[in-house]
Amino acid sequence: MHVLVIGSGAREHALLLALKKDPQVDKLVIAPGNAGTAAVAEQRDVDISSADAVVALARDVGADLVVIGPEVPLVLGVADALRAAGIACFGPSKDAARIEGSKAFAKDVMAAAGVRTAASETVDNPADLDAALDRFGPSAGQPAWVVKDDGLAAGKGVVVTADRAAARAHAAGLLDDGHPVLLESFLDGPELSLFCVVDGATVVPLLPAQDFKRVADGDAGPNTGGMGAYAPLPWLPAGALAEIVADVVEPVAAELVRRGSRFSGLLYAGLAMTSNGPAVVEFNCRFGDPETQAVLALLESPLGQLLHAAATGTLADFGALRWHDGSAVTVVLAAENYPGRPRVGDVIVGAEGDGVLHAGTARRDDGAIVSSGGRVLSVVGTGADLDAARAAAYDILGSIRLPGSHFRTDIALAAAEGRIQL
């Protein structure tokens, strides 16, 4: 099987490493990739937002399967163009990708499916903002305001704050840029990320994970695209995963089928395990980053065959997934000033070892690997338990040098110490 992966982050690097282990995958191509993925797969250039360009590349490399990593090409309909050209694609249609591309659409789907989520209100007129803020946050007896960009924001369009001025400033900024704002009620309890391979009404869950959005230890500072993750979750009760699939993911998948927006690809459910049970924070239409790096490190089943089954309508026949024992921890190494405008162009030392997945990297003409984005590397450690996996990840990080870089030191620490309780 010839597989083309679209994207350039650590998520795509993790996908390539897992695909390479599949005995049926005999050719791997990535476009556009980065300095690290070039060591795993043939590297090609492409405009990932251009359906015509992606289709032409898929034909050129003889792809039997195209796996689309980022959300932007999915929301723009690249998967539709591939299927129309007769090429199997793992990734939802433009219509189904609205589950991530429009939070208002996702809320409507959840309401129709009877899935619990935060109460919400969309504001598209600055004149309505103050009255709407009065209906949420501390002014309405909640711990904080939750303010979201209604469209795609790469994980950074959310502000959760007890400071009304900060909530209003974020919302007003979005409105000034022409983006509708979604205000939500606050959901208590620990959050988890659940990836499900979906083929219409058929849902196959992967291991649940937990990610860390805030930039600094102790969940301080602004939101990022994700600073780390771990899997599985030792604090999640037995049977909880099956209940989430049955009560949340399957009803949403069925509702998408019912309204003619059949989902085929990776459906990501972000949930809060509240005192009243699981509630959806968001849905995404693709593998999440950095959770993918941890989850796929533990997958034993052949990933290429799994994704091809979903892309060709045979997922129901695939069978149960197999997983390695133990835990995996991902820690993100970020460039100076991230999540603001990052410093780039610095030489990275120690970026080519095992467990080091590349995201914002490039190779200079002289062969040196340099930083080219905000989240530069994902470091993945595995072990018999979270303590061992954390130790492995941070040991690898200790051998990497990037001027001005930063990372969180507390990824998976609370779970390892048994401090997360439901």
Side-chain angles (χ1 to χ4, degrees), residues 48-74:
I48 67 171
S49 65
S50 169
D52 290 343
V54 174
V55 169
L57 177 60
R59 285 174 170 156
D60 186 51
V61 302
D64 301 299
L65 173 67
V66 178
V67 179
I68 299 177
E71 61 273 23
V72 171
L74 294 168

Side-chain angles (χ1 to χ4, degrees), residues 340-362:
R341 184 173 182 176
R343 170 175 158 175
V344 298
D346 289 307
V347 173
I348 310 166
V349 176
E352 298 181 278
D354 291 340
V356 181
L357 307 184
H358 288 229
T361 67

